[in-house]
Amino acid sequence: MILFLCGIVNVRAAHESLTNYVNQYIGTGGHGHTFMGANVPFGLVQLGPTEPTRGWDWCSGYYYEDNELIGFGHMHLSGTGIGCLGDIAFLPVKDSKQVSTRFTHDNEKVRPGYYSLQLTDPQVLVELTASERVGFHRYTFQSGAKGQLALDLSQCIGWDQMTDCLLTQESATRLTGYRRSKGWAADRRIYFAIDFSQPVHVTRLDSMERAILTVDDTARPLLVKVALSPVDIDKAKLNMQAEMPGWDFDEAVASADNAWNEALSRIQIETADNTKKRIFYTAMYHLMTSCSKFCDVDKQYRGADGKVHKADFTNYTTLSLWDTYRAAHPLMSIMFPEMQRDFAETFLNIYKQQGRLPVWHLMGSETDCMVGNPGAIVLADLVMKGYVQDKEFAFEALKTTQLFDDRSLGLLKEYGYIPWDKEPTNETVAKALEYCIADDGVAKVARLLGKTADYEYFFNRSRSYAKYYDPQTRFLRALSTDGKFRLPFNPFYAEHRTNDYTEGNAWQYTWLVPHDVNGLISLFGSESQFMSKLDSLFVVEGDLGDNASPDVSGLTGQYAHGNEPSHHVIYMYNYAGRPDKAAPLLRKMMKDMYFDAPDGLSGNEDVGQMSAWYIISALGLYQVDPVGGRFVIGSPIMDKATVSVGNGKTFTVVAKKNSDRNIYVQSARLNGKAYSKTYIDYADIMKGGVLELTMGPKPSKWGWSKAMRP
């Protein structure tokens, strides 16, 4: 099966395979929580090894420091802070009592779309590849090894717990069934069809939750194809026939490799530093191992209402929107414009089915994980970028979602802010700031549609962040019902789930106003005072508390690159007319927070966001305001980057005289003409063209004048 991506301009040199630059081990150590295994871009199937869950760092099912396997499952998460999935796991075994085996990384071979592991107990070579909805296995048994596989339907990762399953042998070479579970997702269902290249004998154990599959002929490899469907068993069979009808494993590996090469070629970079290339293309791999297709080849899917729906769009899931609204979705709107209508329709149909836009959607279930309404932010951005046909219905979804009373919105409507003494779950400052960002998005769409009253209401509410500003301490602080700031106050305090901020502290959250940076500057009284406070963020140190959230990582002073609320902060210097102050910090983050090693990420990958920051920043751009498409210019680390933006067009960023010393923009040209702005709008990017940035070793006054600022 070849994954076709429309609108590609393949500028990749014919002899160069970009998959050679992907190091899938990056992020599997430390706190990266990234997926290891075989998949294709945005595929439902993520087939790979699963280890026993031993704690937080096993959220993806694979942690580099571990060496015990319990199976090869078909669904995993990449970079989340909560573990789930692990469905339909196979494991070669010596006998029915064996439930795990040891392994070494020396026996692994990994590249995008292919994973292999030589097991020693028993002696079996395991090889895996995948299409979007089908996992393909090849088991080569060494001399004397038994041809036995354990099929485990109860196996899970993290919070997941199986509630029901079915395993049926339809013929000597076909098994079918389903698995239902609860956990992070309240009611998750996946259906499967399994085909074998030779007859298997099935011994059922543990009430069908685990079975031993035996083959007689171990002289030839056993091939296994597993097709998944969110709808039913017949759809799983349909997916099998459409995507993996044959038995040529090597051809399937080549098809997966081709799919990855085509997707990776969406951005062509030029640099003499191969380490940067590996980090960059691994980041692209991680971005495309993020959200996944959650529908069958005929577009049917199971919705948030638990019912089956027929669609004319591709339905997506694994929507970690609190993370991805910041850089991942804006980046994908450039790289994959043909996917944006699908995202919009996914969101709007979730709204139809559950009555509000998604917060954190996992396999058809709303988890309500994290604060705010990030789905409203992404949808508003898609409306403003022109990817939503029915804008009136989109506005209905946005307005309805933001006018709910649950998740602290009722308090926001009643008081104009969220009082900490009325909210038992706390995190009130973080909640309010996230709602301000979403309200600003709704206001923008209302203005676009000429809805004056709605615009004024949501615009005013989006500026309510100012109520939290304490001019004495110059922090955004929690307020009580009587309008007083909460005491005692410690700006370093970041205790997990017990303070006024989500996965952070006052130092980090004071800057969470990406939709109105100029308004935030005015609260400080002057640009110089704003910059003085911002400068101190990167040097001040303090005690976060004994039970500080582990997500507060990648610290430079109190700037936490390992967590998403900080990701836009460095670019705020442009708004104060000092992009030269941003340049060394951006270069530092790209150098110090991303490595070509298992512990190569400074925090959770967070379903593509950590990598998206690197990709777009390496190009020298970042969409600070998450709604509207204004990309601020930073300090590109690539000498040249060409992005396929659809319709046969490319947008190229050239960094002339670029080096590790020449980090400061001296001047800019767009399509051959002098360009004085320190930002570029989405519409101009999507027209195609060339942005030339001349770099130098010393700060210039490029971007200092007010006319140049975003």
Side-chain angles (χ1 to χ4, degrees), residues 351-352 354-357 373 376 392-406 409 413 439 442 454 458 461:
Y351 164 69
K352 291 178 184 177
Q354 69 178 26
R356 56 191 171 96
L357 290 167
N373 277 329
E392 289 289 342
F393 181 61
F395 181 75
E396 175 196 314
L398 291 165
K399 181 177 179 179
T400 300
T401 299
Q402 285 299 99
L403 291 180
F404 259 77
D405 287 334
D406 65 342
L409 276 168
K413 288 193 292 184
D439 282 337
V442 180
D454 288 320
F458 286 106
R461 211 170 74 167

Side-chain angles (χ1 to χ4, degrees), residues 23-170:
N23 177 4
Q24 286 177 248
Y25 285 111
I26 292 177
T28 60
H31 299 315
H33 301 181
T34 55
F35 164 70
M36 169 58 72
N39 63 328
V40 294
F42 305 109
L44 173 65
V45 168
Q46 295 185 8
L47 173 58
T50 304
E51 300 164 348
T53 298
R54 307 185 200 275
W56 190 55
D57 286 322
W58 281 260
C59 287
S60 74
Y62 182 97
Y63 184 51
Y64 186 81
E65 301 300 324
D66 205 343
N67 67 348
E68 182 181 7
L69 292 181
I70 56 176
F72 297 93
H74 288 77
M75 300 176 73
H76 293 82
L77 296 173
S78 186
T80 57
I82 297 173
C84 198
L85 309 185
D87 300 63
I88 312 162
F90 287 88
L91 180 69
V93 293
K94 295 178 298 184
D95 53 50
S96 62
K97 296 181 180 180
Q98 184 177 0
V99 295
S100 68
T101 188
R102 299 287 175 175
F103 77 104
T104 172
H105 296 302
D106 293 338
N107 290 338
E108 288 182 308
K109 293 181 180 179
V110 185
R111 65 178 184 271
Y114 176 80
Y115 174 91
S116 75
L117 176 61
Q118 177 64 60
L119 295 177
T120 57
D121 183 27
Q123 292 277 344
V124 180
L125 174 62
V126 180
E127 296 175 278
L128 309 173
T129 190
S131 63
E132 290 179 345
R133 300 168 181 85
V134 185
F136 199 176
H137 310 230
R138 181 164 65 186
Y139 297 96
T140 303
F141 302 96
Q142 305 302 306
S143 178
K146 291 184 178 180
Q148 289 187 333
L149 299 177
L151 170 58
D152 193 342
L153 299 183
S154 65
Q155 189 178 119
C156 60
I157 299 170
W159 289 10
D160 189 75
Q161 179 182 353
M162 192 198 72
T163 58
D164 186 25
C165 67
L166 174 69
L167 180 64
T168 302
Q169 185 166 18
E170 293 192 0

Side-chain angles (χ1 to χ4, degrees), residues 502-552:
T502 299
E503 298 177 359
N505 61 23
W507 271 107
Q508 290 130 28
Y509 269 87
T510 291
W511 315 101
L512 190 57
V513 190
H515 61 293
D516 187 27
V517 181
N518 292 320
L520 180 63
I521 292 173
S522 68
L523 290 180
F524 282 85
S526 69
E527 290 176 355
S528 61
Q529 291 188 63
F530 170 82
M531 279 194 289
S532 174
K533 185 75 169 184
L534 187 53
D535 290 344
S536 65
L537 171 69
F538 299 95
V539 295
V540 68
E541 296 182 359
D543 185 1
L544 303 182
D546 293 337
N547 297 307
S549 169
D551 293 283
V552 185

